[in-house]
Amino acid sequence: MRSPREFKAEIVEQCQRGDRSIAQAAKDFDLTETAVREWVRQAERDAGTREDGGLRSDEKAELAALRRENRRLREDVEILQRATAFFA
């Protein structure tokens, strides 16, 4: 059984090679055209062949990690502020 990542990669490859149009791939695999089109766009960004201001997958992962760290640090600051107010 293919993983979701392998499934997406196979569909994107077929669209990029011209074996299937985005519309045909969506129809054949019971997907929305919007989803397939976004997969193709993301693959192009990741390959460096698309410059539309969108983030590459590695940049998205880094941004998500930074947001988690930022949230944790804000919580730490809030705890320290409460402790300071308690002991003051």
Side-chain angles (χ1 to χ4, degrees):
M1 185 171 178
R2 294 179 299 209
S3 72
R5 181 175 288 166
E6 290 170 337
F7 176 72
K8 288 179 185 180
E10 183 179 319
I11 291 173
V12 166
E13 186 178 330
Q14 289 177 9
C15 292
Q16 289 177 329
R17 280 194 320 244
D19 295 346
R20 286 192 167 115
S21 68
I22 289 174
Q24 189 62 48
K27 182 179 177 186
D28 291 349
F29 293 100
D30 195 29
L31 302 164
T32 65
E33 283 187 45
T34 304
V36 176
R37 189 172 293 110
E38 184 53 37
W39 295 349
V40 171
R41 282 187 195 133
Q42 190 62 52
E44 291 170 350
R45 285 183 198 117
D46 292 347
T49 59
R50 182 179 196 90
E51 296 289 333
D52 62 355
L55 298 176
R56 295 185 320 263
S57 293
D58 61 327
E59 292 171 326
K60 286 183 178 184
E62 180 182 12
L63 180 58
L66 290 170
R67 286 181 173 164
R68 279 191 303 274
E69 181 181 7
N70 191 359
R71 184 172 40 252
R72 186 187 57 79
L73 291 171
R74 287 179 188 268
E75 291 169 357
D76 290 351
V77 167
E78 186 178 330
I79 290 168
L80 290 172
Q81 286 174 339
R82 288 181 185 171
T84 302
F86 178 77
F87 289 112

